[in-house]
Amino acid sequence: THTHTPHTATTHPTISVLCRLIRSCASLRVAFVLPVSAPHSRFLTPHSRSVHTTVAVSMPRLVQFEEAGQVRVGVELSDGGDVVDVTKVDASIPTDMKSLLEADAIGKAAAAAKAGTHVVSRDKVTIKAPIYNPEKIICIGMNYVDHCTEQNMPVPTEPVVFSKFASAITDPGAPIIKFEETSELDFEVELAIVIGRKASKVSAADAMDYVAGYTVAHDVSARDWQLKRNGGQWLMGKTFDTFAPIGPAIVTTDELGDPHKLGIRCRLNGETVQDSNTDQLVFKTGDVIEWISKVVTLNPGDLIFTGTPPGVGCFRKPQLWMKAGDVAECEIDGIGCISNPVVAEQDGPSTKRAKPE
């Protein structure tokens, strides 16, 4: 729950061990258990919503949700379940995700969820992207062994790093715009790391102490702009507006378990086009955080897209490009699924978003 003072990679080993013990104890303080008979997908009955209720939240699934035109943070009680409006339980909890992470308030959110009050029925909310304004979106290319194999490319010996702009972020369920400027619109399901604490020159062994959790990302790509234009630089082909759907939740490290043993898949119009496991990652969480933080300070809310497995459209024969009318679903076991329709540019939505309270 990130209740201890941040330490650097040079912290004395004894202090580092004590910090980890403190963190473990904090996790225990917010571990809540329901009776075995409680429904899996709904922890609260209609009657219990009006009284103090025990809610099963071992560590939270953090979300941003919209209700009555306002976006704020909440805790999702299960994948697809009701949402605890934690800022109504505890007014000191920031209303947007980046501020919550900067305030080291995950523990507060978990405690608020435990209170069992201010539970909002799922059909009354719209789940939004879990964060809109990260300082950085850093991406790792060629990071699945089986993805390298499909390209007949050697496995990288060091991470291949590029970026997307935060303006590319869009919500689960929101349209991916098929811009007139590209005719090679491709899909890429990815596991995204969400940074929870400022990290500079962090060792791989200590890296998990700086991770708030993980979410699902869709690294939508205009292959013509990525590979044939812009002097071979990937950025322009990766960062069109709407080219970074993320969500549905940030699942904390305590809740998710081993992030490197998760099924990961993408479906296009209901057909599975990517299907792998995060055990195929070349550079895992610790490796990429160590590598990036050598030269770039990572801050709370920063996102690291960790790469895509095989099956992308550009390496198929014949090639497979997304088009208006398609629906892309990206799913990772233990985190959830995001589904986004593809729409032609002239039919695309306004870029205006509801504002956090």
Side-chain angles (χ1 to χ4, degrees), residues 2 23 62 101 106 193-197 208-214 250-254:
H2 307 127
R23 191 176 181 206
L62 298 167
L101 295 174
I106 293 178
I193 302 165
V194 185
I195 297 298
R197 299 169 53 217
M208 291 303 294
D209 289 341
Y210 298 83
V211 176
Y214 295 83
I250 297 171
V251 181
T252 56
T253 54
D254 310 65

Side-chain angles (χ1 to χ4, degrees), residues 159-319:
V160 177
V161 180
F162 61 98
S163 64
K164 297 170 85 85
F165 295 140
S167 56
I169 290 175
T170 195
D171 303 309
I176 296 167
I177 298 176
K178 164 60 176 68
F179 287 91
E180 295 177 356
E181 286 79 6
T182 180
S183 59
E184 298 182 355
L185 187 64
D186 210 348
F187 46 85
E188 293 192 13
V189 60
E190 306 207 7
L191 175 71
I193 302 165
V194 185
I195 297 298
R197 299 169 53 217
K198 185 175 182 178
S200 178
K201 299 189 182 300
V202 172
S203 70
D206 289 335
M208 291 303 294
D209 289 341
Y210 298 83
V211 176
Y214 295 83
T215 194
V216 179
H218 188 175
D219 180 15
V220 181
S221 305
R223 298 298 188 191
D224 36 9
W225 282 79
Q226 178 191 357
L227 302 174
K228 302 173 184 176
R229 304 185 66 173
N230 198 39
Q233 295 290 321
W234 290 4
L235 176 65
M236 288 293 286
K238 291 287 189 174
T239 201
F240 284 42
D241 291 347
T242 74
F243 275 24
I246 58 173
I250 297 171
V251 181
T252 56
T253 54
D254 310 65
E255 177 75 12
L256 187 61
D258 189 347
H260 308 118
K261 292 182 180 179
L262 303 175
I264 180 170
R265 63 197 65 87
C266 177
R267 292 181 292 271
L268 188 62
N269 302 322
E271 179 183 348
T272 300
V273 287
Q274 293 182 275
D275 191 2
S276 187
N277 194 287
T278 56
D279 63 8
Q280 290 289 302
L281 283 166
V282 180
F283 302 103
K284 295 179 170 56
T285 300
D287 303 318
V288 297
I289 289 178
E290 179 178 66
W291 179 259
I292 294 166
S293 72
K294 288 177 186 291
V295 295
V296 176
T297 298
L298 297 170
N299 287 311
D302 284 352
L303 301 176
I304 303 175
F305 289 17
T306 58
T308 198
V312 296
C314 68
F315 296 118
R316 289 174 172 263
K317 295 181 180 179
Q319 292 175 319

Side-chain angles (χ1 to χ4, degrees), residues 10 12 133 135 150 174 220 230 263 291 329 333:
T10 58
H12 190 280
N133 55 344
E135 182 181 272
E150 76 170 343
V220 181
N230 198 39
W291 179 259
E329 298 172 273
D333 295 346

Side-chain angles (χ1 to χ4, degrees), residues 3 19 35 64 95 115 150 154 178 203 210 263 282 298 332 342 352:
T3 59
C19 287
Q64 290 193 142
T95 57
E150 76 170 343
K178 164 60 176 68
S203 70
Y210 298 83
V282 180
L298 297 170
I332 300 177
V342 181
K352 292 182 180 179

